Amino acid sequence: MRMIRNSIINWLIKNSAISEENRELYEYAVYSAELLVLPVIMAIVIGWLSGSTVNGIMLIIPFMFLKKYSGGYHAKKLSICMIISTILLTAMIKMSICDIKPAYMYITTCIAFIELCIVSPIQSDNKILNEKETRYYKKVVVMQLAAYSIIIICSSILNCMIVTKCICLGIILASLMQLPCIVTRRTSIR
């Protein structure tokens, strides 16, 4: 990925689209774009291979927006991140295709809601939030969860269980990404 990123930046500099002085800024911009686009591409591909691209897209959207503000586990290497993300995303997309008892899904989603509201945002080693940012991120997570709960209730009433399942699983996945950080923090306190 780094080679592709450098190739893009070198091409932009060579064609005078950006200056060499701004190289680091544009490298970060391309890296950020990769992190935004990559999960969507993964969800589409895994969804397609699993037999439901739509499920992959509907599941990744709440996950991406929640993860951005709720924080959670970040692998040190991109390769490890890709492996873990692929495994978790594949499992969740497969679950979205399977029959799940609604009661189990709703209970698990409620637990994920509570955990996300209480623990978010989890600080990243890459970006430490100040108190104002922490309050803002928590507020955004709570507002997102409120919006997703309305979607879940409406889609359940309308018997659109695919939508309900995918939104619930996206929320659960965001919650699962916080668990390693919660466990690590709890064990380091002792």
Side-chain angles (χ1 to χ4, degrees):
M1 292 303 252
R2 183 180 294 264
M3 286 176 31
I4 295 170
R5 194 177 321 126
N6 285 334
S7 296
I8 292 169
I9 300 301
N10 290 337
W11 180 81
L12 289 170
I13 291 170
K14 181 181 168 189
N15 289 302
S16 302
I18 62 171
S19 64
E20 181 67 44
E21 298 88 49
N22 294 329
R23 178 184 197 85
E24 191 173 311
L25 176 67
Y26 283 96
E27 281 178 354
Y28 181 75
V30 172
Y31 177 72
S32 296
E34 286 173 2
L35 292 179
L36 185 65
V37 172
L38 207 53
V40 175
I41 292 170
M42 284 176 55
I44 290 170
V45 170
I46 294 168
W48 177 71
L49 291 171
S50 300
S52 184
T53 306
V54 173
N55 287 27
I57 294 168
M58 283 193 300
L59 193 146
I60 201 69
I61 289 171
F63 168 72
M64 281 177 45
F65 288 115
L66 278 171
K67 178 83 165 64
K68 178 173 176 54
Y69 291 97
S70 65
Y73 177 74
H74 289 282
K76 301 283 187 237
K77 294 183 179 180
L78 183 60
S79 58
I80 293 170
C81 176
M82 295 299 293
I83 292 167
I84 292 169
S85 298
T86 302
I87 292 168
L88 288 172
L89 198 53
T90 301
M92 289 298 183
I93 291 172
K94 289 282 192 182
M95 284 178 70
S96 76
I97 296 168
C98 297
D99 264 346
I100 301 172
K101 293 205 183 281
Y104 295 145
M105 185 178 60
Y106 295 137
I107 290 168
T108 308
T109 304
C110 284
I111 293 167
F113 261 75
I114 293 166
E115 183 261 321
L116 285 164
C117 286
I118 292 171
V119 178
S120 296
I122 289 185
Q123 297 285 337
S124 166
D125 292 339
N126 300 337
K127 182 179 182 191
I128 304 299
L129 303 174
N130 63 37
E131 193 174 318
K132 185 178 178 182
E133 290 171 322
T134 301
R135 282 194 308 272
Y136 174 74
Y137 276 48
K138 183 178 278 297
K139 189 183 296 184
V140 170
V141 169
V142 170
M143 290 180 353
Q144 284 185 44
L145 290 171
Y148 293 136
S149 65
I150 292 168
I151 294 169
I152 290 167
I153 291 167
C154 291
S155 61
S156 294
I157 290 169
L158 296 172
N159 205 24
C160 294
M161 292 311 287
I162 298 291
V163 174
T164 304
K165 244 193 283 189
C166 290
I167 300 293
C168 286
L169 290 171
I171 292 166
I172 292 165
L173 183 56
S175 173
L176 287 174
M177 294 305 291
Q178 287 189 337
L179 290 180
C181 300
I182 294 168
V183 170
T184 304
R185 187 169 46 182
R186 296 280 185 246
T187 56
S188 66
I189 292 171
R190 294 180 186 166

Short mmCIF file of all heavy atoms in Angstrom, two decimals, residues 128-188:
data_model
loop_
_atom_site.label_atom_id
_atom_site.label_comp_id
_atom_site.label_asym_id
_atom_site.label_seq_id
_atom_site.Cartn_x
_atom_site.Cartn_y
_atom_site.Cartn_z
N ILE A 128 -4.46 11.34 20.62
CA ILE A 128 -4.97 11.54 21.97
C ILE A 128 -5.96 12.70 21.94
O ILE A 128 -5.65 13.77 21.43
CB ILE A 128 -3.81 11.85 22.97
CG1 ILE A 128 -2.74 10.76 22.93
CG2 ILE A 128 -4.35 12.05 24.37
CD1 ILE A 128 -3.23 9.38 23.31
N LEU A 129 -7.15 12.45 22.46
CA LEU A 129 -8.20 13.47 22.45
C LEU A 129 -8.13 14.30 23.73
O LEU A 129 -7.90 13.77 24.80
CB LEU A 129 -9.58 12.81 22.35
CG LEU A 129 -9.84 11.90 21.15
CD1 LEU A 129 -11.19 11.22 21.30
CD2 LEU A 129 -9.77 12.68 19.86
N ASN A 130 -8.39 15.60 23.59
CA ASN A 130 -8.51 16.42 24.79
C ASN A 130 -9.93 16.28 25.33
O ASN A 130 -10.77 15.59 24.73
CB ASN A 130 -8.13 17.89 24.51
CG ASN A 130 -9.06 18.56 23.50
OD1 ASN A 130 -10.27 18.31 23.47
ND2 ASN A 130 -8.49 19.41 22.67
N GLU A 131 -10.23 16.92 26.44
CA GLU A 131 -11.54 16.74 27.10
C GLU A 131 -12.70 17.19 26.21
O GLU A 131 -13.73 16.52 26.14
CB GLU A 131 -11.55 17.52 28.42
CG GLU A 131 -12.71 17.15 29.31
CD GLU A 131 -12.63 17.83 30.65
OE1 GLU A 131 -11.52 17.90 31.23
OE2 GLU A 131 -13.68 18.29 31.14
N LYS A 132 -12.52 18.29 25.51
CA LYS A 132 -13.58 18.80 24.62
C LYS A 132 -13.84 17.83 23.46
O LYS A 132 -14.98 17.54 23.13
CB LYS A 132 -13.17 20.18 24.09
CG LYS A 132 -14.22 20.85 23.26
CD LYS A 132 -13.77 22.23 22.82
CE LYS A 132 -14.82 22.89 21.94
NZ LYS A 132 -14.39 24.20 21.46
N GLU A 133 -12.76 17.32 22.87
CA GLU A 133 -12.91 16.35 21.78
C GLU A 133 -13.56 15.07 22.27
O GLU A 133 -14.40 14.48 21.58
CB GLU A 133 -11.54 16.03 21.17
CG GLU A 133 -10.92 17.17 20.39
CD GLU A 133 -9.48 16.90 19.99
OE1 GLU A 133 -8.72 16.31 20.79
OE2 GLU A 133 -9.11 17.29 18.88
N THR A 134 -13.19 14.63 23.47
CA THR A 134 -13.76 13.41 24.05
C THR A 134 -15.27 13.57 24.20
O THR A 134 -16.03 12.66 23.85
CB THR A 134 -13.11 13.09 25.41
OG1 THR A 134 -11.71 12.91 25.20
CG2 THR A 134 -13.69 11.83 26.01
N ARG A 135 -15.71 14.69 24.73
CA ARG A 135 -17.16 14.94 24.89
C ARG A 135 -17.85 14.97 23.52
O ARG A 135 -18.93 14.42 23.35
CB ARG A 135 -17.41 16.25 25.63
CG ARG A 135 -17.22 16.14 27.13
CD ARG A 135 -17.79 17.34 27.88
NE ARG A 135 -17.34 18.63 27.38
CZ ARG A 135 -16.25 19.27 27.78
NH1 ARG A 135 -15.47 18.73 28.69
NH2 ARG A 135 -15.93 20.45 27.26
N TYR A 136 -17.22 15.63 22.56
CA TYR A 136 -17.79 15.71 21.22
C TYR A 136 -17.92 14.33 20.58
O TYR A 136 -18.97 13.99 20.03
CB TYR A 136 -16.93 16.63 20.33
CG TYR A 136 -17.37 16.65 18.89
CD1 TYR A 136 -18.52 17.33 18.51
CD2 TYR A 136 -16.66 15.95 17.92
CE1 TYR A 136 -18.94 17.33 17.19
CE2 TYR A 136 -17.07 15.95 16.60
CZ TYR A 136 -18.21 16.64 16.24
OH TYR A 136 -18.63 16.63 14.93
N TYR A 137 -16.87 13.52 20.65
CA TYR A 137 -16.89 12.17 20.06
C TYR A 137 -17.98 11.32 20.72
O TYR A 137 -18.70 10.59 20.05
CB TYR A 137 -15.53 11.50 20.20
CG TYR A 137 -14.54 11.87 19.10
CD1 TYR A 137 -14.33 13.19 18.74
CD2 TYR A 137 -13.81 10.90 18.45
CE1 TYR A 137 -13.42 13.54 17.76
CE2 TYR A 137 -12.90 11.23 17.44
CZ TYR A 137 -12.72 12.55 17.10
OH TYR A 137 -11.83 12.87 16.12
N LYS A 138 -18.09 11.40 22.05
CA LYS A 138 -19.13 10.64 22.75
C LYS A 138 -20.51 11.07 22.28
O LYS A 138 -21.38 10.25 22.02
CB LYS A 138 -19.01 10.80 24.27
CG LYS A 138 -20.04 9.96 25.03
CD LYS A 138 -19.90 10.06 26.52
CE LYS A 138 -18.84 9.18 27.09
NZ LYS A 138 -18.99 7.76 26.95
N LYS A 139 -20.71 12.39 22.14
CA LYS A 139 -22.00 12.91 21.69
C LYS A 139 -22.33 12.40 20.29
O LYS A 139 -23.46 12.01 20.00
CB LYS A 139 -21.98 14.44 21.70
CG LYS A 139 -23.33 15.08 21.45
CD LYS A 139 -23.25 16.60 21.38
CE LYS A 139 -22.83 17.18 22.69
NZ LYS A 139 -22.82 18.65 22.70
N VAL A 140 -21.33 12.39 19.41
CA VAL A 140 -21.55 11.90 18.04
C VAL A 140 -21.92 10.42 18.06
O VAL A 140 -22.83 10.00 17.34
CB VAL A 140 -20.30 12.15 17.16
CG1 VAL A 140 -20.42 11.44 15.82
CG2 VAL A 140 -20.09 13.65 16.95
N VAL A 141 -21.25 9.62 18.89
CA VAL A 141 -21.57 8.19 18.99
C VAL A 141 -23.00 8.00 19.47
O VAL A 141 -23.77 7.22 18.88
CB VAL A 141 -20.58 7.45 19.94
CG1 VAL A 141 -21.07 6.05 20.27
CG2 VAL A 141 -19.20 7.39 19.31
N VAL A 142 -23.40 8.73 20.50
CA VAL A 142 -24.76 8.61 21.04
C VAL A 142 -25.79 9.04 19.99
O VAL A 142 -26.83 8.37 19.83
CB VAL A 142 -24.90 9.41 22.36
CG1 VAL A 142 -26.36 9.49 22.80
CG2 VAL A 142 -24.04 8.80 23.45
N MET A 143 -25.51 10.12 19.27
CA MET A 143 -26.44 10.57 18.22
C MET A 143 -26.54 9.54 17.10
O MET A 143 -27.63 9.28 16.58
CB MET A 143 -26.02 11.94 17.68
CG MET A 143 -26.24 13.04 18.70
SD MET A 143 -25.81 14.76 18.25
CE MET A 143 -25.01 14.71 16.70
N GLN A 144 -25.41 8.96 16.71
CA GLN A 144 -25.44 7.92 15.68
C GLN A 144 -26.27 6.72 16.15
O GLN A 144 -27.10 6.20 15.39
CB GLN A 144 -24.03 7.44 15.36
CG GLN A 144 -23.23 8.38 14.51
CD GLN A 144 -21.88 7.77 14.16
OE1 GLN A 144 -21.79 6.60 13.80
NE2 GLN A 144 -20.84 8.57 14.26
N LEU A 145 -26.04 6.31 17.38
CA LEU A 145 -26.79 5.16 17.92
C LEU A 145 -28.28 5.46 17.97
O LEU A 145 -29.10 4.58 17.71
CB LEU A 145 -26.25 4.76 19.29
CG LEU A 145 -24.86 4.13 19.28
CD1 LEU A 145 -24.32 3.98 20.69
CD2 LEU A 145 -24.87 2.79 18.56
N ALA A 146 -28.64 6.70 18.29
CA ALA A 146 -30.06 7.09 18.30
C ALA A 146 -30.64 6.97 16.89
O ALA A 146 -31.74 6.42 16.70
CB ALA A 146 -30.22 8.51 18.83
N ALA A 147 -29.89 7.44 15.90
CA ALA A 147 -30.36 7.35 14.51
C ALA A 147 -30.47 5.89 14.07
O ALA A 147 -31.47 5.50 13.44
CB ALA A 147 -29.40 8.11 13.58
N TYR A 148 -29.47 5.07 14.41
CA TYR A 148 -29.52 3.66 14.04
C TYR A 148 -30.66 2.95 14.76
O TYR A 148 -31.29 2.05 14.19
CB TYR A 148 -28.19 2.96 14.33
CG TYR A 148 -27.06 3.46 13.46
CD1 TYR A 148 -25.81 3.73 14.01
CD2 TYR A 148 -27.23 3.70 12.10
CE1 TYR A 148 -24.76 4.20 13.23
CE2 TYR A 148 -26.19 4.18 11.32
CZ TYR A 148 -24.97 4.43 11.89
OH TYR A 148 -23.94 4.89 11.10
N SER A 149 -30.96 3.34 15.99
CA SER A 149 -32.07 2.69 16.70
C SER A 149 -33.40 3.00 16.02
O SER A 149 -34.27 2.12 15.93
CB SER A 149 -32.10 3.09 18.18
OG SER A 149 -32.38 4.46 18.33
N ILE A 150 -33.55 4.21 15.49
CA ILE A 150 -34.77 4.56 14.75
C ILE A 150 -34.86 3.70 13.49
O ILE A 150 -35.92 3.17 13.16
CB ILE A 150 -34.80 6.06 14.42
CG1 ILE A 150 -34.98 6.86 15.72
CG2 ILE A 150 -35.90 6.38 13.41
CD1 ILE A 150 -34.74 8.35 15.57
N ILE A 151 -33.75 3.55 12.79
CA ILE A 151 -33.72 2.72 11.58
C ILE A 151 -34.06 1.27 11.94
O ILE A 151 -34.85 0.62 11.24
CB ILE A 151 -32.35 2.80 10.86
CG1 ILE A 151 -32.12 4.21 10.33
CG2 ILE A 151 -32.26 1.77 9.73
CD1 ILE A 151 -30.70 4.48 9.85
N ILE A 152 -33.49 0.77 13.02
CA ILE A 152 -33.76 -0.62 13.44
C ILE A 152 -35.23 -0.81 13.78
O ILE A 152 -35.86 -1.79 13.35
CB ILE A 152 -32.85 -1.01 14.64
CG1 ILE A 152 -31.40 -1.12 14.19
CG2 ILE A 152 -33.32 -2.31 15.29
CD1 ILE A 152 -30.39 -1.18 15.33
N ILE A 153 -35.79 0.12 14.53
CA ILE A 153 -37.22 0.02 14.91
C ILE A 153 -38.11 0.08 13.68
O ILE A 153 -39.00 -0.76 13.50
CB ILE A 153 -37.58 1.12 15.93
CG1 ILE A 153 -36.89 0.86 17.27
CG2 ILE A 153 -39.10 1.22 16.11
CD1 ILE A 153 -36.93 2.02 18.24
N CYS A 154 -37.85 1.05 12.80
CA CYS A 154 -38.68 1.19 11.58
C CYS A 154 -38.55 -0.03 10.67
O CYS A 154 -39.55 -0.53 10.16
CB CYS A 154 -38.30 2.45 10.82
SG CYS A 154 -38.75 3.97 11.68
N SER A 155 -37.32 -0.50 10.46
CA SER A 155 -37.14 -1.65 9.57
C SER A 155 -37.72 -2.92 10.19
O SER A 155 -38.22 -3.79 9.47
CB SER A 155 -35.66 -1.85 9.21
OG SER A 155 -34.88 -2.08 10.35
N SER A 156 -37.72 -3.02 11.52
CA SER A 156 -38.35 -4.17 12.18
C SER A 156 -39.87 -4.11 12.01
O SER A 156 -40.50 -5.13 11.70
CB SER A 156 -38.01 -4.19 13.68
OG SER A 156 -36.64 -4.42 13.86
N ILE A 157 -40.44 -2.93 12.19
CA ILE A 157 -41.89 -2.77 12.02
C ILE A 157 -42.30 -3.08 10.59
O ILE A 157 -43.33 -3.72 10.35
CB ILE A 157 -42.33 -1.34 12.42
CG1 ILE A 157 -42.19 -1.15 13.94
CG2 ILE A 157 -43.76 -1.05 11.97
CD1 ILE A 157 -42.34 0.28 14.41
N LEU A 158 -41.48 -2.63 9.64
CA LEU A 158 -41.78 -2.86 8.21
C LEU A 158 -41.36 -4.26 7.75
O LEU A 158 -41.49 -4.59 6.58
CB LEU A 158 -41.09 -1.80 7.36
CG LEU A 158 -41.57 -0.37 7.57
CD1 LEU A 158 -40.69 0.61 6.83
CD2 LEU A 158 -43.03 -0.22 7.15
N ASN A 159 -40.85 -5.06 8.68
CA ASN A 159 -40.42 -6.43 8.42
C ASN A 159 -39.29 -6.51 7.37
O ASN A 159 -39.21 -7.45 6.60
CB ASN A 159 -41.60 -7.31 8.02
CG ASN A 159 -41.33 -8.76 8.34
OD1 ASN A 159 -40.53 -9.09 9.20
ND2 ASN A 159 -42.00 -9.65 7.61
N CYS A 160 -38.42 -5.50 7.36
CA CYS A 160 -37.22 -5.51 6.51
C CYS A 160 -36.07 -6.02 7.37
O CYS A 160 -35.18 -5.26 7.78
CB CYS A 160 -36.92 -4.11 6.00
SG CYS A 160 -38.13 -3.45 4.88
N MET A 161 -36.09 -7.30 7.64
CA MET A 161 -35.14 -7.87 8.59
C MET A 161 -33.70 -7.85 8.08
O MET A 161 -32.78 -7.87 8.89
CB MET A 161 -35.56 -9.28 8.99
CG MET A 161 -36.84 -9.31 9.83
SD MET A 161 -36.84 -8.14 11.21
CE MET A 161 -35.69 -8.92 12.32
N ILE A 162 -33.50 -7.79 6.79
CA ILE A 162 -32.13 -7.69 6.26
C ILE A 162 -31.50 -6.38 6.73
O ILE A 162 -30.37 -6.37 7.20
CB ILE A 162 -32.11 -7.77 4.71
CG1 ILE A 162 -32.66 -9.10 4.21
CG2 ILE A 162 -30.73 -7.50 4.15
CD1 ILE A 162 -31.78 -10.29 4.50
N VAL A 163 -32.25 -5.30 6.59
CA VAL A 163 -31.75 -3.99 7.03
C VAL A 163 -31.50 -4.02 8.54
O VAL A 163 -30.44 -3.60 9.01
CB VAL A 163 -32.75 -2.86 6.67
CG1 VAL A 163 -32.31 -1.53 7.26
CG2 VAL A 163 -32.90 -2.75 5.16
N THR A 164 -32.48 -4.52 9.28
CA THR A 164 -32.36 -4.61 10.74
C THR A 164 -31.11 -5.39 11.13
O THR A 164 -30.31 -4.93 11.95
CB THR A 164 -33.60 -5.30 11.35
OG1 THR A 164 -34.77 -4.58 10.94
CG2 THR A 164 -33.53 -5.35 12.85
N LYS A 165 -30.95 -6.56 10.53
CA LYS A 165 -29.80 -7.42 10.85
C LYS A 165 -28.48 -6.75 10.54
O LYS A 165 -27.56 -6.77 11.36
CB LYS A 165 -29.90 -8.73 10.04
CG LYS A 165 -30.07 -9.96 10.87
CD LYS A 165 -29.85 -11.20 10.07
CE LYS A 165 -31.05 -11.51 9.19
NZ LYS A 165 -30.94 -12.82 8.56
N CYS A 166 -28.38 -6.14 9.37
CA CYS A 166 -27.11 -5.53 8.96
C CYS A 166 -26.74 -4.34 9.85
O CYS A 166 -25.58 -4.20 10.24
CB CYS A 166 -27.18 -5.10 7.50
SG CYS A 166 -27.20 -6.51 6.36
N ILE A 167 -27.71 -3.50 10.18
CA ILE A 167 -27.44 -2.36 11.05
C ILE A 167 -27.02 -2.87 12.43
O ILE A 167 -26.03 -2.40 13.01
CB ILE A 167 -28.65 -1.42 11.16
CG1 ILE A 167 -29.05 -0.86 9.79
CG2 ILE A 167 -28.39 -0.31 12.18
CD1 ILE A 167 -28.07 0.08 9.17
N CYS A 168 -27.76 -3.85 12.96
CA CYS A 168 -27.42 -4.42 14.27
C CYS A 168 -26.02 -5.02 14.26
O CYS A 168 -25.23 -4.77 15.18
CB CYS A 168 -28.43 -5.50 14.67
SG CYS A 168 -30.03 -4.85 15.18
N LEU A 169 -25.69 -5.77 13.23
CA LEU A 169 -24.37 -6.40 13.17
C LEU A 169 -23.25 -5.37 13.00
O LEU A 169 -22.15 -5.56 13.52
CB LEU A 169 -24.33 -7.46 12.06
CG LEU A 169 -25.17 -8.71 12.35
CD1 LEU A 169 -25.26 -9.59 11.11
CD2 LEU A 169 -24.62 -9.50 13.52
N GLY A 170 -23.51 -4.29 12.29
CA GLY A 170 -22.53 -3.21 12.18
C GLY A 170 -22.25 -2.57 13.54
O GLY A 170 -21.10 -2.28 13.88
N ILE A 171 -23.31 -2.39 14.33
CA ILE A 171 -23.16 -1.84 15.69
C ILE A 171 -22.40 -2.82 16.57
O ILE A 171 -21.49 -2.43 17.32
CB ILE A 171 -24.55 -1.51 16.28
CG1 ILE A 171 -25.18 -0.35 15.51
CG2 ILE A 171 -24.45 -1.20 17.77
CD1 ILE A 171 -26.66 -0.16 15.75
N ILE A 172 -22.76 -4.09 16.47
CA ILE A 172 -22.09 -5.12 17.28
C ILE A 172 -20.61 -5.20 16.91
O ILE A 172 -19.75 -5.32 17.78
CB ILE A 172 -22.79 -6.49 17.10
CG1 ILE A 172 -24.19 -6.44 17.73
CG2 ILE A 172 -21.96 -7.62 17.68
CD1 ILE A 172 -25.12 -7.58 17.34
N LEU A 173 -20.30 -5.09 15.63
CA LEU A 173 -18.90 -5.13 15.18
C LEU A 173 -18.11 -3.95 15.76
O LEU A 173 -16.98 -4.12 16.21
CB LEU A 173 -18.82 -5.14 13.66
CG LEU A 173 -17.44 -5.26 13.02
CD1 LEU A 173 -16.70 -6.49 13.52
CD2 LEU A 173 -17.56 -5.29 11.51
N ALA A 174 -18.70 -2.76 15.75
CA ALA A 174 -18.03 -1.59 16.34
C ALA A 174 -17.77 -1.83 17.83
O ALA A 174 -16.70 -1.49 18.35
CB ALA A 174 -18.87 -0.33 16.15
N SER A 175 -18.73 -2.44 18.50
CA SER A 175 -18.58 -2.76 19.92
C SER A 175 -17.47 -3.80 20.13
O SER A 175 -16.65 -3.66 21.05
CB SER A 175 -19.90 -3.27 20.47
OG SER A 175 -19.77 -3.74 21.77
N LEU A 176 -17.44 -4.81 19.28
CA LEU A 176 -16.41 -5.85 19.40
C LEU A 176 -15.01 -5.28 19.23
O LEU A 176 -14.07 -5.75 19.86
CB LEU A 176 -16.65 -6.95 18.35
CG LEU A 176 -17.82 -7.89 18.59
CD1 LEU A 176 -18.00 -8.82 17.40
CD2 LEU A 176 -17.62 -8.68 19.87
N MET A 177 -14.87 -4.26 18.41
CA MET A 177 -13.55 -3.66 18.17
C MET A 177 -13.05 -2.91 19.41
O MET A 177 -11.86 -2.63 19.52
CB MET A 177 -13.59 -2.71 16.97
CG MET A 177 -13.84 -3.43 15.65
SD MET A 177 -12.68 -4.74 15.31
CE MET A 177 -11.19 -3.82 15.03
N GLN A 178 -13.94 -2.61 20.34
CA GLN A 178 -13.52 -1.95 21.58
C GLN A 178 -13.08 -2.95 22.64
O GLN A 178 -12.33 -2.59 23.54
CB GLN A 178 -14.65 -1.08 22.14
CG GLN A 178 -14.90 0.17 21.35
CD GLN A 178 -15.86 1.10 22.06
OE1 GLN A 178 -16.66 0.71 22.89
NE2 GLN A 178 -15.78 2.37 21.71
N LEU A 179 -13.57 -4.17 22.55
CA LEU A 179 -13.29 -5.15 23.61
C LEU A 179 -11.81 -5.39 23.89
O LEU A 179 -11.42 -5.43 25.07
CB LEU A 179 -14.01 -6.47 23.31
CG LEU A 179 -15.53 -6.43 23.44
CD1 LEU A 179 -16.13 -7.79 23.12
CD2 LEU A 179 -15.98 -5.94 24.79
N PRO A 180 -10.95 -5.56 22.88
CA PRO A 180 -9.52 -5.74 23.21
C PRO A 180 -8.95 -4.57 24.01
O PRO A 180 -8.15 -4.77 24.92
CB PRO A 180 -8.84 -5.85 21.84
CG PRO A 180 -9.91 -6.26 20.91
CD PRO A 180 -11.18 -5.67 21.43
N CYS A 181 -9.39 -3.36 23.69
CA CYS A 181 -8.91 -2.17 24.42
C CYS A 181 -9.43 -2.16 25.85
O CYS A 181 -8.70 -1.80 26.77
CB CYS A 181 -9.35 -0.90 23.70
SG CYS A 181 -8.72 -0.78 22.03
N ILE A 182 -10.68 -2.56 26.03
CA ILE A 182 -11.28 -2.60 27.36
C ILE A 182 -10.57 -3.63 28.22
O ILE A 182 -10.20 -3.36 29.36
CB ILE A 182 -12.79 -2.90 27.28
CG1 ILE A 182 -13.52 -1.75 26.59
CG2 ILE A 182 -13.37 -3.16 28.66
CD1 ILE A 182 -14.95 -2.08 26.19
N VAL A 183 -10.35 -4.81 27.65
CA VAL A 183 -9.68 -5.89 28.39
C VAL A 183 -8.25 -5.49 28.73
O VAL A 183 -7.80 -5.68 29.86
CB VAL A 183 -9.71 -7.22 27.59
CG1 VAL A 183 -8.82 -8.26 28.21
CG2 VAL A 183 -11.14 -7.72 27.46
N THR A 184 -7.54 -4.92 27.78
CA THR A 184 -6.16 -4.49 28.00
C THR A 184 -6.09 -3.43 29.09
O THR A 184 -5.22 -3.47 29.95
CB THR A 184 -5.54 -3.94 26.70
OG1 THR A 184 -5.65 -4.92 25.69
CG2 THR A 184 -4.10 -3.55 26.89
N ARG A 185 -7.01 -2.48 29.04
CA ARG A 185 -7.03 -1.41 30.03
C ARG A 185 -7.34 -1.95 31.42
O ARG A 185 -6.74 -1.56 32.39
CB ARG A 185 -8.05 -0.34 29.64
CG ARG A 185 -8.01 0.86 30.52
CD ARG A 185 -8.81 2.00 29.99
NE ARG A 185 -10.11 1.60 29.53
CZ ARG A 185 -10.99 2.40 28.98
NH1 ARG A 185 -10.70 3.67 28.82
NH2 ARG A 185 -12.16 1.98 28.57
N ARG A 186 -8.26 -2.91 31.50
CA ARG A 186 -8.65 -3.50 32.79
C ARG A 186 -7.48 -4.30 33.40
O ARG A 186 -7.23 -4.22 34.57
CB ARG A 186 -9.85 -4.43 32.65
CG ARG A 186 -11.12 -3.75 32.22
CD ARG A 186 -11.78 -3.08 33.40
NE ARG A 186 -13.05 -2.52 32.98
CZ ARG A 186 -13.33 -1.24 32.94
NH1 ARG A 186 -12.43 -0.36 33.32
NH2 ARG A 186 -14.50 -0.80 32.54
N THR A 187 -6.77 -5.05 32.55
CA THR A 187 -5.66 -5.85 33.06
C THR A 187 -4.46 -4.99 33.43
O THR A 187 -3.69 -5.33 34.31
CB THR A 187 -5.23 -6.95 32.07
OG1 THR A 187 -4.90 -6.34 30.82
CG2 THR A 187 -6.33 -7.97 31.88
N SER A 188 -4.29 -3.85 32.75
CA SER A 188 -3.15 -3.00 33.07
C SER A 188 -3.39 -2.22 34.37
O SER A 188 -2.44 -1.77 35.00
CB SER A 188 -2.86 -2.02 31.92
OG SER A 188 -3.93 -1.11 31.78
#
